Amino acid sequence: MNVQEFQNKLKEVQEIARQHGNALNAAEIRQVFEECDLDKSQLLGVLKYLTSQGILIEGLETAGEEAKEPEHKKIPLTAEEEAYLKNYLEELPVVDEVDADSVFEALAAGDQRALQTLTSYYMKTAADMAVEMNIEEMQLADLIQEANLCLIQTLGTAGDECRDEKWLLSEMRKGIQLVLEEQTQRKFEDDSLVARVEKLESAVRELNDGEDEKNAFTIDELAIILDMKVDEIRDILRLTGDDN
């Protein structure tokens, strides 16, 4: 199963959850992923991802309890990240204290200087928010860049309505959270695909173990035995350096 097919499975199970009041039971999840041949750790990864999306998993015991842990758990900064953050904050432009309410009013009136002022003024806040929401799946430098992008995009959507700091921080947090969810899902899919490749590679090696080159299984035969497409097997063998 390729990444696109796996993504489709995730979307399918999320749609089932929406139809059942954002809840699922273990049997429904296993049914959707029945053809994926997931092992226990991979299934647990699916459960953790679903719970991170606010979906209640019913009928789970040990695995279910473990899956309830937050997917985007904050982790401490590394020494390298601490050094990066220190340098980054030192290089931020010095901005005098401003009357935020007045500047937001100017922004609503279409004053581009207000947009620039608010962007500069809240860049440190964006960095602080990135540190607060720091996760293992993403580098702090990248997360700070995404937080700054959320800041700029949020201010750009303010329109002519008079906004305030509470609105800005709330929208920024929503934007960053979306980035984290996308990053976490991408890493989860990548890890699952890697695990599947390793498993299939092992199966190929075992099937050909002890066979001389003349009698070894052909790719066409492996495709039938492993119930895979020929092209997928070729891709796996190419990745593992066994494509000769």
Side-chain angles (χ1 to χ4, degrees):
M1 175 175 293
N2 59 36
V3 174
Q4 184 60 52
E5 291 172 329
F6 190 80
Q7 288 177 329
N8 291 338
K9 290 291 185 182
L10 284 177
K11 291 178 181 178
E12 180 182 344
V13 77
Q14 286 176 282
E15 179 59 31
I16 294 174
R18 281 192 285 270
Q19 295 173 1
H20 293 80
N22 227 28
L24 289 168
N25 59 51
E28 289 172 323
I29 299 172
R30 291 192 181 95
Q31 184 177 0
V32 172
F33 288 93
E34 184 177 6
E35 299 176 357
C36 298
D37 193 26
L38 301 180
D39 58 29
K40 184 176 180 180
S41 64
Q42 291 171 325
L43 179 59
L44 182 58
V46 172
L47 300 179
K48 286 184 177 182
Y49 172 73
L50 293 174
T51 56
S52 78
Q53 302 302 300
I55 295 174
L56 175 64
I57 310 297
E58 302 170 348
L60 297 178
E61 297 178 356
T62 304
E65 292 173 1
E66 188 174 348
K68 291 179 182 178
E69 296 179 4
E71 179 73 11
H72 299 141
K73 185 177 180 180
K74 175 186 173 183
I75 60 173
L77 300 184
T78 64
E80 182 180 356
E81 289 173 331
E82 290 279 10
Y84 170 83
L85 179 63
K86 182 176 183 295
N87 292 334
Y88 175 82
L89 294 177
E90 289 176 349
E91 293 176 0
L92 283 179
V94 178
V95 181
D96 296 331
E97 286 294 326
V98 299
D99 182 348
D101 290 336
S102 298
V103 183
F104 274 108
E105 290 177 3
L107 179 65
D111 188 342
Q112 289 301 306
R113 291 176 300 177
L115 177 62
Q116 296 173 359
T117 298
L118 288 172
T119 299
S120 298
Y121 186 69
Y122 284 101
M123 283 184 70
K124 182 181 183 303
T125 301
D128 292 339
M129 196 173 289
V131 172
E132 176 190 344
M133 301 174 74
N134 180 46
I135 60 171
E136 185 177 9
E137 292 84 356
M138 197 168 187
Q139 294 292 326
L140 179 64
D142 294 334
L143 186 52
I144 289 177
Q145 290 180 359
E146 292 291 347
N148 286 334
L149 183 58
C150 289
L151 167 61
I152 296 170
Q153 291 177 334
T154 299
L155 290 173
T157 62
D160 56 4
E161 182 177 348
C162 190
R163 307 290 189 172
D164 57 19
E165 180 176 277
K166 182 179 179 180
W167 166 83
L168 175 62
L169 299 185
S170 175
E171 292 301 306
M172 285 173 59
R173 186 174 295 275
K174 290 178 185 177
I176 297 172
Q177 186 65 32
L178 181 59
V179 169
L180 297 182
E181 290 173 0
E182 292 174 348
Q183 180 68 19
T184 301
Q185 178 176 349
R186 188 178 302 115
K187 185 177 186 301
F188 168 67
E189 291 165 354
D190 290 345
D191 289 347
S192 297
L193 183 59
V194 168
R196 185 166 175 79
V197 168
E198 291 175 345
K199 183 175 182 178
L200 291 172
E201 178 198 12
S202 176
V204 170
R205 291 184 183 279
E206 288 179 6
L207 286 170
N208 280 327
D209 187 31
E211 300 286 347
D212 55 32
E213 184 176 347
K214 180 178 178 180
N215 295 320
F217 287 101
T218 67
I219 289 181
D220 289 334
E221 290 170 334
L222 289 173
I224 296 173
I225 295 171
L226 299 175
D227 189 22
M228 294 174 56
K229 295 179 180 179
V230 171
D231 289 343
E232 186 175 1
I233 291 183
R234 290 186 187 279
D235 289 341
I236 291 175
L237 295 177
R238 190 175 299 113
L239 285 172
T240 57
D242 294 331
D243 55 335
N244 293 326

